[in-house]
Amino acid sequence: MTGFSIAGWGVAVPENIVSNQELGQRFGVEEEWIVSRCGIQERRVVSPGQTTASLAVDAGRAALDKAGMTGADIAHLIVATATPEQLSPATSAFVHHDLGITGSAHDVNSECAGFIYGLVSALGLMALDPRPILLVGSDTHSLTTNPQDRDLSILVGDGAGAVVLIPEIAPGQVRAWNLGADGSCTGSLKVPAGGSRMPPTEETVRAGLHYAQIKGNEIYLNAVRYTVQTVRETLNSAKVDASEVQHILPHQANIRIINSILQHTGLPRERLVSNLDRFGNTASASIPIALGEALDEHRIKDGDLVLMAGFGAGMTWGSVLFEWKGPQT
């Protein structure tokens, strides 16, 4: 595989903050209970007029600007999202137009593992066509969450993160990767109505079937199980010990899940990159937002090993281990 580097990155989060105080008053629980439950202090949610595509455009434009590029330089656009702009056309079509991209565009929906799936797909595509790719993770799960659903409302936040991938002659930069899915778990987290299985009707709207539904215990157990599995398989394939990883970027879902993953894999806690407390669970955007912040803070240096790992509804999961290399000048 042709090596790659990340020439630019961008983050877009709404200005609207939903605090634990606000949610505590809504659901009649203590703020400390929310923190102990998920590790989140506050989360960002979209304001009227903001959408999955608008956040993706903002993050994508920031990434292009940092890379010194325009949409005309991008050969392929990939948007990872589980909260599309609409059922058809793909969200990437809207982003493609607004950013002036002249290459191809498609979506990836692997829920919260979407950015990992999108990254592996992008690197495979780049091996066939070594030209720049814009990869965006963007989700607005606050719009698919029932405001009366305490368990999901305390978790979800909205946001987008983007990276510009460019080919480099750097053999072995991607040390290893792993993707997986278990379709028997489709009932753990779902939005039942709106698709071909349950087309929208007055009855489905009245019954609230267009809101997300979650089985918390199932998600927790499978998230830990499959993320630990994918991390182990990737590290074993790369012949890298957990102690050798300099930066750990997991899907920012829930602090209890993250802690369990670290415990079972032996990954060093002090090397965790996390912003869960400030942004909540931003789904496909969580890993690229964390990556963008780490890069802005100059935490990641050339030669560092970076591990990304995520899981999502379905269930889906994936991990990528790569050696960081900034763009060559």
Side-chain angles (χ1 to χ4, degrees), residues 232-267:
R232 286 175 174 168
E233 291 190 14
T234 291
L235 292 178
N236 288 340
S237 179
K239 296 181 172 56
V240 168
D241 187 80
S243 63
E244 299 177 70
V245 178
Q246 277 84 29
H247 307 282
I248 305 157
L249 283 77
H251 166 46
Q252 313 283 306
N254 180 313
I255 194 61
R256 294 186 300 152
I257 292 175
I258 292 174
N259 286 339
S260 293
I261 292 168
L262 295 177
Q263 177 184 352
H264 289 296
T265 58
L267 290 166

Side-chain angles (χ1 to χ4, degrees), residues 20 29 58 78 89 101 121 135 140 142 184 187 204 220-221 261 263 281 289 305 307 327 329:
N20 283 350
V29 297
D58 290 344
I78 301 174
I101 292 172
S121 299
L135 171 62
T140 53
S142 71
S184 69
T204 63
Y220 177 88
L221 293 174
I261 292 168
Q263 177 184 352
N281 181 343
I289 289 176
L305 288 180
L307 175 67
T329 57

Side-chain angles (χ1 to χ4, degrees), residues 12 49 74-75 92 99 106 168-169 173 177 195 246 249 259 269 303:
I74 298 300
S92 56
L99 290 179
H106 71 274
E168 298 277 12
I169 302 174
Q173 186 176 9
W177 58 273
Q246 277 84 29
L249 283 77
N259 286 339
R269 184 175 303 276

Side-chain angles (χ1 to χ4, degrees), residues 116-237:
I116 298 294
Y117 268 70
L119 178 59
V120 173
S121 299
L123 296 179
L125 180 58
M126 188 177 288
L128 296 172
D129 180 11
R131 293 187 292 163
I133 293 177
L134 177 61
L135 171 62
V136 186
S138 183
D139 269 308
T140 53
H141 273 292
S142 71
L143 300 177
T144 63
T145 297
N146 187 330
Q148 304 309 312
D149 184 334
R150 183 194 66 185
D151 291 345
L152 276 175
S153 293
I154 65 173
L155 291 173
V156 298
D158 303 329
V163 294
V164 175
L165 305 168
I166 60 173
E168 298 277 12
I169 302 174
Q173 186 176 9
V174 178
R175 296 291 189 90
W177 58 273
N178 175 265
L179 298 178
D182 181 354
S184 69
C185 300
T186 54
S188 297
L189 177 57
K190 61 184 179 180
V191 178
S196 61
R197 176 169 291 218
M198 190 182 294
T201 63
E202 290 184 15
E203 288 73 20
T204 63
V205 173
R206 193 175 299 115
L209 296 177
H210 297 265
Y211 287 130
Q213 300 176 0
I214 187 173
K215 297 178 181 177
N217 288 336
E218 284 186 20
I219 286 291
Y220 177 88
L221 293 174
N222 285 326
V224 173
R225 170 190 174 193
Y226 287 126
T227 307
V228 168
Q229 173 182 306
T230 188
V231 166
R232 286 175 174 168
E233 291 190 14
T234 291
L235 292 178
N236 288 340
S237 179

